[in-house]
PDB file of all heavy atoms in Angstrom:
ATOM      1  N   PHE A   1      -2.321   4.047  -6.189  1.00 95.00           N
ATOM      2  CA  PHE A   1      -3.698   3.602  -5.989  1.00 95.00           C
ATOM      3  C   PHE A   1      -4.281   4.175  -4.705  1.00 95.00           C
ATOM      4  O   PHE A   1      -5.427   4.646  -4.680  1.00 95.00           O
ATOM      5  CB  PHE A   1      -3.724   2.072  -5.960  1.00 95.00           C
ATOM      6  CG  PHE A   1      -5.100   1.474  -5.796  1.00 95.00           C
ATOM      7  CD1 PHE A   1      -5.947   1.336  -6.889  1.00 95.00           C
ATOM      8  CD2 PHE A   1      -5.548   1.039  -4.560  1.00 95.00           C
ATOM      9  CE1 PHE A   1      -7.213   0.777  -6.742  1.00 95.00           C
ATOM     10  CE2 PHE A   1      -6.807   0.479  -4.405  1.00 95.00           C
ATOM     11  CZ  PHE A   1      -7.636   0.358  -5.506  1.00 95.00           C
ATOM     12  N   LEU A   2      -3.490   4.157  -3.641  1.00 94.00           N
ATOM     13  CA  LEU A   2      -3.980   4.624  -2.344  1.00 94.00           C
ATOM     14  C   LEU A   2      -4.216   6.127  -2.320  1.00 94.00           C
ATOM     15  O   LEU A   2      -5.064   6.611  -1.563  1.00 94.00           O
ATOM     16  CB  LEU A   2      -2.982   4.249  -1.242  1.00 94.00           C
ATOM     17  CG  LEU A   2      -3.023   2.794  -0.779  1.00 94.00           C
ATOM     18  CD1 LEU A   2      -1.867   2.511   0.166  1.00 94.00           C
ATOM     19  CD2 LEU A   2      -4.343   2.471  -0.095  1.00 94.00           C
ATOM     20  N   GLN A   3      -3.489   6.867  -3.127  1.00 91.00           N
ATOM     21  CA  GLN A   3      -3.655   8.316  -3.114  1.00 91.00           C
ATOM     22  C   GLN A   3      -5.052   8.726  -3.587  1.00 91.00           C
ATOM     23  O   GLN A   3      -5.497   9.841  -3.304  1.00 91.00           O
ATOM     24  CB  GLN A   3      -2.571   8.974  -3.982  1.00 91.00           C
ATOM     25  CG  GLN A   3      -1.180   8.793  -3.399  1.00 91.00           C
ATOM     26  CD  GLN A   3      -0.145   9.704  -4.019  1.00 91.00           C
ATOM     27  OE1 GLN A   3      -0.107  10.904  -3.727  1.00 91.00           O
ATOM     28  NE2 GLN A   3       0.693   9.141  -4.867  1.00 91.00           N
ATOM     29  N   ASN A   4      -5.718   7.827  -4.290  1.00 88.00           N
ATOM     30  CA  ASN A   4      -7.063   8.124  -4.786  1.00 88.00           C
ATOM     31  C   ASN A   4      -8.161   7.487  -3.944  1.00 88.00           C
ATOM     32  O   ASN A   4      -9.328   7.474  -4.347  1.00 88.00           O
ATOM     33  CB  ASN A   4      -7.191   7.648  -6.239  1.00 88.00           C
ATOM     34  CG  ASN A   4      -6.211   8.354  -7.152  1.00 88.00           C
ATOM     35  OD1 ASN A   4      -6.090   9.563  -7.106  1.00 88.00           O
ATOM     36  ND2 ASN A   4      -5.495   7.580  -7.971  1.00 88.00           N
ATOM     37  N   LYS A   5      -7.785   6.914  -2.796  1.00 92.00           N
ATOM     38  CA  LYS A   5      -8.762   6.257  -1.927  1.00 92.00           C
ATOM     39  C   LYS A   5      -8.744   6.927  -0.556  1.00 92.00           C
ATOM     40  O   LYS A   5      -7.686   7.076   0.061  1.00 92.00           O
ATOM     41  CB  LYS A   5      -8.427   4.771  -1.765  1.00 92.00           C
ATOM     42  CG  LYS A   5      -8.568   3.957  -3.041  1.00 92.00           C
ATOM     43  CD  LYS A   5     -10.026   3.794  -3.439  1.00 92.00           C
ATOM     44  CE  LYS A   5     -10.179   2.944  -4.683  1.00 92.00           C
ATOM     45  NZ  LYS A   5     -11.573   2.813  -5.088  1.00 92.00           N
ATOM     46  N   LYS A   6      -9.896   7.303  -0.083  1.00 95.00           N
ATOM     47  CA  LYS A   6      -9.985   7.923   1.239  1.00 95.00           C
ATOM     48  C   LYS A   6     -11.161   7.300   2.004  1.00 95.00           C
ATOM     49  O   LYS A   6     -12.263   7.167   1.451  1.00 95.00           O
ATOM     50  CB  LYS A   6     -10.194   9.439   1.131  1.00 95.00           C
ATOM     51  CG  LYS A   6      -9.011  10.187   0.524  1.00 95.00           C
ATOM     52  CD  LYS A   6      -7.870  10.305   1.508  1.00 95.00           C
ATOM     53  CE  LYS A   6      -6.698  11.101   0.944  1.00 95.00           C
ATOM     54  NZ  LYS A   6      -5.858  10.340   0.008  1.00 95.00           N
ATOM     55  N   ASN A   7     -10.893   6.888   3.252  1.00 97.00           N
ATOM     56  CA  ASN A   7     -11.967   6.453   4.147  1.00 97.00           C
ATOM     57  C   ASN A   7     -12.843   5.373   3.504  1.00 97.00           C
ATOM     58  O   ASN A   7     -14.069   5.457   3.523  1.00 97.00           O
ATOM     59  CB  ASN A   7     -12.826   7.668   4.544  1.00 97.00           C
ATOM     60  CG  ASN A   7     -13.766   7.367   5.696  1.00 97.00           C
ATOM     61  OD1 ASN A   7     -13.414   6.640   6.608  1.00 97.00           O
ATOM     62  ND2 ASN A   7     -14.971   7.921   5.628  1.00 97.00           N
ATOM     63  N   TYR A   8     -12.210   4.345   2.942  1.00 97.00           N
ATOM     64  CA  TYR A   8     -12.984   3.360   2.190  1.00 97.00           C
ATOM     65  C   TYR A   8     -12.838   1.929   2.711  1.00 97.00           C
ATOM     66  O   TYR A   8     -13.826   1.217   2.864  1.00 97.00           O
ATOM     67  CB  TYR A   8     -12.576   3.402   0.716  1.00 97.00           C
ATOM     68  CG  TYR A   8     -13.453   2.537  -0.163  1.00 97.00           C
ATOM     69  CD1 TYR A   8     -14.689   3.004  -0.609  1.00 97.00           C
ATOM     70  CD2 TYR A   8     -13.054   1.252  -0.542  1.00 97.00           C
ATOM     71  CE1 TYR A   8     -15.506   2.207  -1.394  1.00 97.00           C
ATOM     72  CE2 TYR A   8     -13.868   0.453  -1.333  1.00 97.00           C
ATOM     73  CZ  TYR A   8     -15.092   0.933  -1.766  1.00 97.00           C
ATOM     74  OH  TYR A   8     -15.899   0.145  -2.536  1.00 97.00           O
ATOM     75  N   PHE A   9     -11.618   1.497   3.004  1.00 98.00           N
ATOM     76  CA  PHE A   9     -11.385   0.084   3.340  1.00 98.00           C
ATOM     77  C   PHE A   9     -11.422  -0.155   4.849  1.00 98.00           C
ATOM     78  O   PHE A   9     -11.109   0.726   5.650  1.00 98.00           O
ATOM     79  CB  PHE A   9     -10.035  -0.378   2.787  1.00 98.00           C
ATOM     80  CG  PHE A   9      -9.987  -0.402   1.283  1.00 98.00           C
ATOM     81  CD1 PHE A   9      -9.331   0.596   0.575  1.00 98.00           C
ATOM     82  CD2 PHE A   9     -10.616  -1.412   0.569  1.00 98.00           C
ATOM     83  CE1 PHE A   9      -9.300   0.588  -0.813  1.00 98.00           C
ATOM     84  CE2 PHE A   9     -10.593  -1.432  -0.819  1.00 98.00           C
ATOM     85  CZ  PHE A   9      -9.933  -0.429  -1.507  1.00 98.00           C
ATOM     86  N   ASP A  10     -11.797  -1.380   5.215  1.00 98.00           N
ATOM     87  CA  ASP A  10     -11.757  -1.790   6.622  1.00 98.00           C
ATOM     88  C   ASP A  10     -10.413  -2.392   6.995  1.00 98.00           C
ATOM     89  O   ASP A  10      -9.949  -2.216   8.128  1.00 98.00           O
ATOM     90  CB  ASP A  10     -12.866  -2.814   6.894  1.00 98.00           C
ATOM     91  CG  ASP A  10     -14.242  -2.223   6.683  1.00 98.00           C
ATOM     92  OD1 ASP A  10     -14.549  -1.203   7.321  1.00 98.00           O
ATOM     93  OD2 ASP A  10     -15.008  -2.771   5.868  1.00 98.00           O
ATOM     94  N   VAL A  11      -9.805  -3.114   6.070  1.00 98.00           N
ATOM     95  CA  VAL A  11      -8.494  -3.727   6.295  1.00 98.00           C
ATOM     96  C   VAL A  11      -7.662  -3.562   5.030  1.00 98.00           C
ATOM     97  O   VAL A  11      -8.171  -3.760   3.914  1.00 98.00           O
ATOM     98  CB  VAL A  11      -8.611  -5.228   6.653  1.00 98.00           C
ATOM     99  CG1 VAL A  11      -7.219  -5.850   6.834  1.00 98.00           C
ATOM    100  CG2 VAL A  11      -9.442  -5.425   7.914  1.00 98.00           C
ATOM    101  N   ILE A  12      -6.391  -3.204   5.203  1.00 98.00           N
ATOM    102  CA  ILE A  12      -5.438  -3.154   4.090  1.00 98.00           C
ATOM    103  C   ILE A  12      -4.277  -4.083   4.427  1.00 98.00           C
ATOM    104  O   ILE A  12      -3.649  -3.947   5.486  1.00 98.00           O
ATOM    105  CB  ILE A  12      -4.922  -1.728   3.836  1.00 98.00           C
ATOM    106  CG1 ILE A  12      -6.072  -0.798   3.448  1.00 98.00           C
ATOM    107  CG2 ILE A  12      -3.845  -1.737   2.740  1.00 98.00           C
ATOM    108  CD1 ILE A  12      -5.665   0.671   3.317  1.00 98.00           C
ATOM    109  N   ILE A  13      -3.998  -5.016   3.527  1.00 98.00           N
ATOM    110  CA  ILE A  13      -2.889  -5.949   3.702  1.00 98.00           C
ATOM    111  C   ILE A  13      -1.851  -5.676   2.623  1.00 98.00           C
ATOM    112  O   ILE A  13      -2.176  -5.703   1.426  1.00 98.00           O
ATOM    113  CB  ILE A  13      -3.381  -7.413   3.617  1.00 98.00           C
ATOM    114  CG1 ILE A  13      -4.394  -7.687   4.734  1.00 98.00           C
ATOM    115  CG2 ILE A  13      -2.196  -8.380   3.697  1.00 98.00           C
ATOM    116  CD1 ILE A  13      -5.062  -9.042   4.645  1.00 98.00           C
ATOM    117  N   THR A  14      -0.637  -5.395   3.047  1.00 95.00           N
ATOM    118  CA  THR A  14       0.446  -5.160   2.097  1.00 95.00           C
ATOM    119  C   THR A  14       1.339  -6.386   2.050  1.00 95.00           C
ATOM    120  O   THR A  14       2.153  -6.616   2.950  1.00 95.00           O
ATOM    121  CB  THR A  14       1.263  -3.910   2.475  1.00 95.00           C
ATOM    122  OG1 THR A  14       0.393  -2.781   2.536  1.00 95.00           O
ATOM    123  CG2 THR A  14       2.342  -3.645   1.437  1.00 95.00           C
ATOM    124  N   ASP A  15       1.136  -7.183   1.012  1.00 94.00           N
ATOM    125  CA  ASP A  15       1.909  -8.406   0.796  1.00 94.00           C
ATOM    126  C   ASP A  15       3.016  -8.076  -0.193  1.00 94.00           C
ATOM    127  O   ASP A  15       2.938  -8.402  -1.376  1.00 94.00           O
ATOM    128  CB  ASP A  15       0.989  -9.511   0.267  1.00 94.00           C
ATOM    129  CG  ASP A  15       1.736 -10.784  -0.079  1.00 94.00           C
ATOM    130  OD1 ASP A  15       2.899 -10.922   0.347  1.00 94.00           O
ATOM    131  OD2 ASP A  15       1.165 -11.630  -0.787  1.00 94.00           O
ATOM    132  N   SER A  16       4.037  -7.404   0.297  1.00 77.00           N
ATOM    133  CA  SER A  16       5.077  -6.891  -0.587  1.00 77.00           C
ATOM    134  C   SER A  16       6.339  -7.740  -0.506  1.00 77.00           C
ATOM    135  O   SER A  16       6.560  -8.482   0.458  1.00 77.00           O
ATOM    136  CB  SER A  16       5.421  -5.445  -0.209  1.00 77.00           C
ATOM    137  OG  SER A  16       6.017  -5.418   1.069  1.00 77.00           O
ATOM    138  N   SER A  17       7.171  -7.589  -1.522  1.00 59.00           N
ATOM    139  CA  SER A  17       8.516  -8.143  -1.457  1.00 59.00           C
ATOM    140  C   SER A  17       9.362  -7.222  -0.579  1.00 59.00           C
ATOM    141  O   SER A  17       8.858  -6.291   0.048  1.00 59.00           O
ATOM    142  CB  SER A  17       9.098  -8.290  -2.867  1.00 59.00           C
ATOM    143  OG  SER A  17       8.951  -7.091  -3.600  1.00 59.00           O
ATOM    144  N   ASP A  18      10.660  -7.480  -0.526  1.00 57.00           N
ATOM    145  CA  ASP A  18      11.540  -6.718   0.365  1.00 57.00           C
ATOM    146  C   ASP A  18      11.727  -5.285  -0.137  1.00 57.00           C
ATOM    147  O   ASP A  18      11.482  -4.989  -1.317  1.00 57.00           O
ATOM    148  CB  ASP A  18      12.891  -7.430   0.478  1.00 57.00           C
ATOM    149  CG  ASP A  18      12.737  -8.833   1.052  1.00 57.00           C
ATOM    150  OD1 ASP A  18      12.189  -8.951   2.153  1.00 57.00           O
ATOM    151  OD2 ASP A  18      13.142  -9.806   0.385  1.00 57.00           O
ATOM    152  N   PRO A  19      12.175  -4.370   0.739  1.00 53.00           N
ATOM    153  CA  PRO A  19      12.240  -2.944   0.382  1.00 53.00           C
ATOM    154  C   PRO A  19      13.407  -2.586  -0.537  1.00 53.00           C
ATOM    155  O   PRO A  19      14.207  -1.702  -0.263  1.00 53.00           O
ATOM    156  CB  PRO A  19      12.352  -2.251   1.738  1.00 53.00           C
ATOM    157  CG  PRO A  19      12.988  -3.247   2.627  1.00 53.00           C
ATOM    158  CD  PRO A  19      12.470  -4.581   2.168  1.00 53.00           C
ATOM    159  N   VAL A  20      13.512  -3.327  -1.630  1.00 51.00           N
ATOM    160  CA  VAL A  20      14.429  -2.993  -2.720  1.00 51.00           C
ATOM    161  C   VAL A  20      13.638  -3.175  -4.010  1.00 51.00           C
ATOM    162  O   VAL A  20      12.744  -4.011  -4.087  1.00 51.00           O
ATOM    163  CB  VAL A  20      15.691  -3.896  -2.727  1.00 51.00           C
ATOM    164  CG1 VAL A  20      16.585  -3.578  -1.552  1.00 51.00           C
ATOM    165  CG2 VAL A  20      15.313  -5.375  -2.713  1.00 51.00           C
ATOM    166  N   GLY A  21      13.927  -2.378  -5.010  1.00 50.00           N
ATOM    167  CA  GLY A  21      13.207  -2.517  -6.275  1.00 50.00           C
ATOM    168  C   GLY A  21      11.788  -1.995  -6.194  1.00 50.00           C
ATOM    169  O   GLY A  21      11.524  -0.970  -5.554  1.00 50.00           O
ATOM    170  N   PRO A  22      10.827  -2.714  -6.816  1.00 49.00           N
ATOM    171  CA  PRO A  22       9.455  -2.189  -6.939  1.00 49.00           C
ATOM    172  C   PRO A  22       8.775  -1.901  -5.612  1.00 49.00           C
ATOM    173  O   PRO A  22       7.863  -1.078  -5.552  1.00 49.00           O
ATOM    174  CB  PRO A  22       8.719  -3.307  -7.689  1.00 49.00           C
ATOM    175  CG  PRO A  22       9.768  -4.097  -8.373  1.00 49.00           C
ATOM    176  CD  PRO A  22      10.993  -3.997  -7.517  1.00 49.00           C
ATOM    177  N   ALA A  23       9.167  -2.582  -4.521  1.00 46.00           N
ATOM    178  CA  ALA A  23       8.458  -2.442  -3.241  1.00 46.00           C
ATOM    179  C   ALA A  23       9.088  -1.415  -2.302  1.00 46.00           C
ATOM    180  O   ALA A  23       8.613  -1.235  -1.182  1.00 46.00           O
ATOM    181  CB  ALA A  23       8.399  -3.803  -2.539  1.00 46.00           C
ATOM    182  N   GLU A  24      10.114  -0.734  -2.752  1.00 54.00           N
ATOM    183  CA  GLU A  24      10.856   0.156  -1.838  1.00 54.00           C
ATOM    184  C   GLU A  24       9.968   1.208  -1.184  1.00 54.00           C
ATOM    185  O   GLU A  24      10.068   1.478   0.016  1.00 54.00           O
ATOM    186  CB  GLU A  24      12.005   0.827  -2.598  1.00 54.00           C
ATOM    187  CG  GLU A  24      12.916   1.653  -1.707  1.00 54.00           C
ATOM    188  CD  GLU A  24      14.124   2.208  -2.460  1.00 54.00           C
ATOM    189  OE1 GLU A  24      14.231   1.983  -3.668  1.00 54.00           O
ATOM    190  OE2 GLU A  24      14.958   2.861  -1.805  1.00 54.00           O
ATOM    191  N   SER A  25       9.052   1.784  -1.951  1.00 55.00           N
ATOM    192  CA  SER A  25       8.215   2.872  -1.421  1.00 55.00           C
ATOM    193  C   SER A  25       7.242   2.391  -0.356  1.00 55.00           C
ATOM    194  O   SER A  25       6.692   3.193   0.408  1.00 55.00           O
ATOM    195  CB  SER A  25       7.444   3.550  -2.555  1.00 55.00           C
ATOM    196  OG  SER A  25       6.475   2.671  -3.103  1.00 55.00           O
ATOM    197  N   LEU A  26       7.027   1.061  -0.266  1.00 54.00           N
ATOM    198  CA  LEU A  26       6.020   0.532   0.654  1.00 54.00           C
ATOM    199  C   LEU A  26       6.538   0.405   2.091  1.00 54.00           C
ATOM    200  O   LEU A  26       5.815  -0.056   2.967  1.00 54.00           O
ATOM    201  CB  LEU A  26       5.518  -0.827   0.159  1.00 54.00           C
ATOM    202  CG  LEU A  26       5.000  -0.862  -1.287  1.00 54.00           C
ATOM    203  CD1 LEU A  26       4.413  -2.223  -1.609  1.00 54.00           C
ATOM    204  CD2 LEU A  26       3.972   0.237  -1.546  1.00 54.00           C
ATOM    205  N   TYR A  27       7.784   0.809   2.317  1.00 61.00           N
ATOM    206  CA  TYR A  27       8.360   0.751   3.665  1.00 61.00           C
ATOM    207  C   TYR A  27       8.650   2.153   4.197  1.00 61.00           C
ATOM    208  O   TYR A  27       9.465   2.331   5.083  1.00 61.00           O
ATOM    209  CB  TYR A  27       9.641  -0.087   3.661  1.00 61.00           C
ATOM    210  CG  TYR A  27       9.381  -1.568   3.482  1.00 61.00           C
ATOM    211  CD1 TYR A  27       9.095  -2.098   2.233  1.00 61.00           C
ATOM    212  CD2 TYR A  27       9.392  -2.438   4.570  1.00 61.00           C
ATOM    213  CE1 TYR A  27       8.840  -3.447   2.062  1.00 61.00           C
ATOM    214  CE2 TYR A  27       9.141  -3.788   4.410  1.00 61.00           C
ATOM    215  CZ  TYR A  27       8.865  -4.286   3.150  1.00 61.00           C
ATOM    216  OH  TYR A  27       8.607  -5.622   2.990  1.00 61.00           O
ATOM    217  N   GLN A  28       7.945   3.143   3.677  1.00 81.00           N
ATOM    218  CA  GLN A  28       8.174   4.522   4.070  1.00 81.00           C
ATOM    219  C   GLN A  28       6.964   5.073   4.833  1.00 81.00           C
ATOM    220  O   GLN A  28       5.840   4.606   4.662  1.00 81.00           O
ATOM    221  CB  GLN A  28       8.461   5.379   2.828  1.00 81.00           C
ATOM    222  CG  GLN A  28       9.700   4.934   2.069  1.00 81.00           C
ATOM    223  CD  GLN A  28       9.840   5.615   0.719  1.00 81.00           C
ATOM    224  OE1 GLN A  28       9.048   6.487   0.355  1.00 81.00           O
ATOM    225  NE2 GLN A  28      10.841   5.212  -0.042  1.00 81.00           N
TER     226      GLN A  28
END
């Protein structure tokens, strides 16, 4: 989703689970 968004949001909150499984990429 983020790869298609540029210079748009004022705040981004990542409410993810731990960096295993589906959320692993969100800690890179």
